[in-house]
Structures are given as C-alpha cells and as structure tokens.
Amino acid sequence: MDDIIINIAYYYICITVILCSKICLASLFPNPKGRLPVRRALFLLTTTVIMFVSLFVNPPLTAQAAQAATGVPQIDAVLVLDASNSMKTSDPDKISVEAMNMFIDMLGVAGDKVGVVSYSSEIERQKAVLTLRGAEDKADLKAFIAQLNYGSYTDITLGMEEAARMLDDSLEPGHKPMIVLLTDGNNEMDPGKSKTLDDAAADTERIISEAQAKGYPVYTIGLNHDGYLNRGYLEDIAHRTGAKFFETSSADGLPEILSAIFADQMELKIVNIDNVTADGNFQVVDLIIPDRNIVEANVTFLSGNPVEVELYDPSGNQVLFDGAETILTQSNSYSLLKIISPGQGLWQIRVKGVSGDQIKINLLYQYSVDAGLSVTTGSNVYAGDTIPAEVVLYEGSRPTSNTDLYLNSTCVLRVLDTAAQQETQIPAVYRNGVFVSDVYLPEARTYEITARVEHPNFFRESEPVSITAAAAPAPTATPTPTPQPTATPAPTATRAPTPTAAPVEEPSDPFPWYFYGLIGLGVLALVGAAVFVSRRMKRNARVFTGKLVIEVTDHYTRERSAPQYRNLIEYGKKTDLFALLNRKGSPALERVVITPSPDAPSHMPQLIVKCNDPAVKFKKDFMEQDASKGIAMNLKSELLVMLEAENKQVKIRYTE
C-alpha cells in the first residue's frame, strides 16, 4: 500500500512539473499568434522528457538499502541431536524431541528449510534438508525425530561435520544458515575405532574454522544432567562461530532454550505475556498487537501438561484455528499458537490447563522490517576524518513510513578496528526520519561499521560497511628560489619613448547576486510575517467543534458508566475533563486540559489534551503517551485516561 501511495505522489509531482512548465512557456511566449507553434513544440518536448524519466527512472537505492529490503528472512537449519545411551538417563521423557518439534513449529508456514542429524560414535540417522511447504512437511520431520535410535559412544565432531556438509549442499542465497547442536556430555571415543580424543580436538578446530569462513553459526545446548558437561568445549564452539551457548540441568528447560535460539537467529525478542497458575477453567490473557508491521505472532504455552487455547480478535469474535492464518500445534509440554498477519489492536487468549499447573506464556513478534546502513565519504578518506552515517529502517523495498518504529527504538553504530580488533560503540540519534551519527576514524586502518537497532520486540543488525582510512598526506613546502647574480648591461643611447596613454580597463559588470538575494530575503520575510499573522489570527479565532463521548470504568466495582455525550461548542476555547463530567468524579481530572488545536485545518478538527500530573496516565492506540507535551486527538480517535490511585479509567472518543 505504501508503494502505491509513493508512486501516486511521484506521478503527481511529474504532472505538477508539466503544468508549471506550461505556465513558464506561456509567460516566455505570450503572443499566441506568432509564437504558438514554438510554445506547443517546447511544451510537447518537455512533457515527453518528463514522462520518459518518470517511467524508466526510479530513485536509486544504495547497495545497503537493496540488501536491507529483503523483508522477513528465511532459515536453513540443521538440528543435530546426541543419540548416545546416556541420553536415556538425562532425558528419559524425550523432552529434547518435544523441544526440537517446537522449533520446527516456530518456523514459517512455508519457505524455511530444515534437516536432522542424530549421532553417537557414528551417524545414526539423518534426514536431508527439506523445504517446508506446509503442515505435512513439519509432521514428516517430527515423525522422523520421534523414531531416532541410540548408540553407545559420543563423537560430537561427526554430527557437526555432517550438518555443515548438509548446509553446503542445500543453502540458498538470502537464507540464514544455522546449526543447533544438543548434547549431554563430552566426546567419548569408541575404543574399537582408531579415532582418538586428540583427533577429535583437531577435527573440532577445523570444523570451527570452516564454519567461521562460511558464516554457519553453531548454537550449542548442554544438557548437564550428571554434572560432567564439558561446558568450555561447547561454549567455545558457539562463541567462535557467532552463536550462543545454553546450559540446563533438566530437559524441562529445553523448549524455552529452543525458543530463545529461534529468536536470536531471527533477530527477535521474547516477550513474557503472563505466567498463569491454572485453576481448571478458562483464564483470559491479553495479547496486544502494537504495530501494523507485525507479519506473524508466535505465542508459546509452556506447561507440564497439555492446555486448551481459544483466540478472540479485537472485535471480540472467536477465531477458529484454520491451519492457514491461525495455526495451533500442541504436545505434552508445549502449545504453539501462530497468527499470520494479525490486525493491530487488543486480542484476547483464553487458556485452560490442569489445576495447579504453572503455564508460562511467551510471545515472539515477527516484523517485516530490516535495517540498512550507509556512510558518506569523499574520493579519499584519511586518518582523523569524521564521516557521516545514516541508518534507515526498511519495509519491503522502501523506507518504512512508521515513525513509531524509530521513536520506540535505539540505534548504536559498532566501529571495529580490524587490525587491533577493538570495537567502539557510537550512539545514533533520530533526525528527519532516519538515525544519524558521525564516525571518527583516528588511525590509518580499515574499519568495519555495523548498525544495531534495538526495539522492545526485536533487534536488527545491518550488513557491515568497510572503510579504509589512508595516512593523512604530509604538507608539501614550496621551495624558495635562490637569486642568481646577473650582469649589468652597459648603458646605450636610446630614443626616448613617445608617451602613450595606458589602456583603460573597463570595469566588469558582475551579476548582482547580492541585490537579488536581498530581494529574495525580503520576499521570504514578508511571506513569513504573513503566515505568522495568519496563524495568530486563526489561533485566536479557533473554537471547539464536534463532540466527546465519555465513559468511566471503576475497576474495583467493575461498573462502567453509560456513554456521556458532550457538545464541545458549548465550552468555547478551553475546558477540562472534570468540567465535562459536570464536576463529578476525581478532582484530578481538572488537570486534564482540553483545547482545540490551533494548527489543524478547519475541515480536519483536532483536540490537544494536556496534563502535568504524573499520577494521571494516558494511553492511545495501546501505547503510553506523555501528556505534558500535549496529545493530539483526531476525529474518531480514542484516549484512555487512567487514575491508578483510584483504579479508575476514563475513555474519551472524539466524534463529529
């Protein structure tokens, strides 16, 4: 939709330019009798050029922007499971199988790719990387994992090496590769084979180096059931390949760990919605969808027993799980609710579990947003230079128009000195629709710059930009010529020259820029004064229009008042919420001041709500607002005024 609006605006500008060119040509050729053919020809030529440019030339995107405009990334993953006999003791209920199933359920409905490897002292079983095309493919993978067998010894390097080979054979451009390794212990070589622990250590170094070169992060999970886990070994594999290490003493923690791995790879953040103690009945949990950029919401329910789940949309209608737009998958230890393209607003979940069970409810928002970094440099970059950098959030192939994503995020530039391996972090600020910052390059070295944007629900890292600063050139001194002695010529008799008048240099007649500049400044000053006077007159003349609908809710008694309608024109130019309630209710509402906006056009009236009392809270579109600076209310918008000390809420809606 944004692309359509942008294109309409683009062609509107082109048409405006064409019309302006026609006016200019009419002023240049005012005689319709003698110069009409010339004017028509020039107008036709101008129109043709502008339309040709508008059709075939688009605003250029930088390489960083094109890279950032990929939307939601897709995953190529290989799950590597320890199938040694010790897993029968450390995971008797096969919670690891449940956790791997949940990871598969969290993947996209279609497009992601997954393979499975189980190992002991040899490869027990493997399933080639499969492109998911629907629920049947996910069910096929789960069935394969459920049938895995166990062996006697453990050689972790076999599982890692086979996983890397499978990625080599299947990785698609633009997909994010990853390996998830689960084990409960150390390398334990089969004495019947020639491979030793030293050989395994050498293989580990080689596999890590290859994974680093190919960009394969290896997430490691240590199931430390007996206290003998080689933590340092697994941690080293994860950190050196750019992944994370997780440790748990019980298999019960595996579903949450797999959820965290998925979130880290997809650059998301886990939001804990609620922790519910089940009472055997349905319990209501709110699910807020705060942004239109959310393309998928994954809600996980972690419990010791299966739970029942119902979903209701912002209109209060129950949503059926159709397997396409809303998908519910369940097992003994988890349930996963996936909502595709959820509408913005307040949803509700009803969950029912076994009485006494603790149900942990987590949420992962999937955003169709990416970050692009660009830096501006001249033809040469030298040590000591400061270069400007710009970070843009992209939605699809265009910069996002959702300014709330910027306002609710922070941005940091990471500048890595590749020679010294030292990193400096520089904060960026939001200005004119983008994050901006200046990067100082102190030494003549190569620097790698990456931007990281942190939002409450996700994070994004840009592709790195490499800048090489050369040594600053030394100033060159101009040599002073050495005077040479010259022979004095002998005087000779000459005829006195006839005096001639020196040529008079005609003064140049430069273009009087200063004169026209003063005229331009004068015109701007007059226009500014006219605008100022006009706005001041409008501000003084502005009065209320429209109505307010007011509802008061008492959360203690659960009572809600009937809607009260107030015709604002009766209140002149200023009022407060206490007066609108006929001075009934909390006196704190007297500090909620409402005025008509002085800047809104008459055909689009707007209210400004201000309050300097920190005890009174405000929410608009499910987001908390700062009323000390004024909150704008357009027609048909709603605002919640919350009196936390009294546990009351006032909802106001602006209507015509």
Side-chain angles (χ1 to χ4, degrees), residues 325-448:
E325 298 298 324
T326 50
I327 305 165
L328 179 66
T329 52
Q330 295 178 297
S331 74
N332 293 328
S333 61
Y334 78 91
S335 294
L336 175 68
L337 172 60
K338 184 185 291 287
I339 310 173
I340 308 299
S341 300
Q344 186 174 357
L346 177 62
W347 297 60
Q348 281 193 336
I349 298 172
R350 298 181 64 200
V351 58
K352 178 181 178 182
V354 176
S355 182
D357 275 2
Q358 293 292 320
I359 306 174
K360 187 170 186 178
I361 306 174
N362 292 334
L363 171 64
L364 286 173
Y365 293 108
Q366 183 74 274
Y367 279 74
S368 61
V369 175
D370 218 329
L373 168 67
S374 61
V375 295
T376 303
T377 61
S379 56
N380 296 304
V381 179
Y382 296 106
D385 285 355
T386 298
I387 59 175
E390 183 177 281
V391 182
V392 181
L393 294 178
Y394 288 92
E395 180 182 353
S397 61
R398 299 279 185 179
T400 181
S401 59
N402 188 352
T403 56
D404 286 342
L405 291 179
Y406 287 97
L407 298 177
N408 295 325
S409 301
T410 59
C411 180
V412 172
L413 299 185
R414 296 175 172 176
V415 184
L416 176 66
D417 182 335
T418 57
Q421 286 298 301
Q422 293 180 345
E423 184 178 273
T424 304
Q425 294 193 359
I426 305 172
V429 297
Y430 176 66
R431 187 183 302 149
N432 298 327
V434 297
F435 288 115
V436 295
S437 186
D438 291 327
V439 179
Y440 176 65
L441 308 176
E443 304 288 342
R445 293 176 181 173
T446 297
Y447 298 87
E448 192 173 86

Side-chain angles (χ1 to χ4, degrees), residues 536-552:
R536 180 55 59 94
M537 292 175 64
K538 287 183 179 179
R539 183 187 299 267
N540 294 334
R542 188 58 57 89
V543 295
F544 283 119
T545 59
K547 298 177 182 178
L548 273 183
V549 184
I550 307 173
E551 297 178 35
V552 182

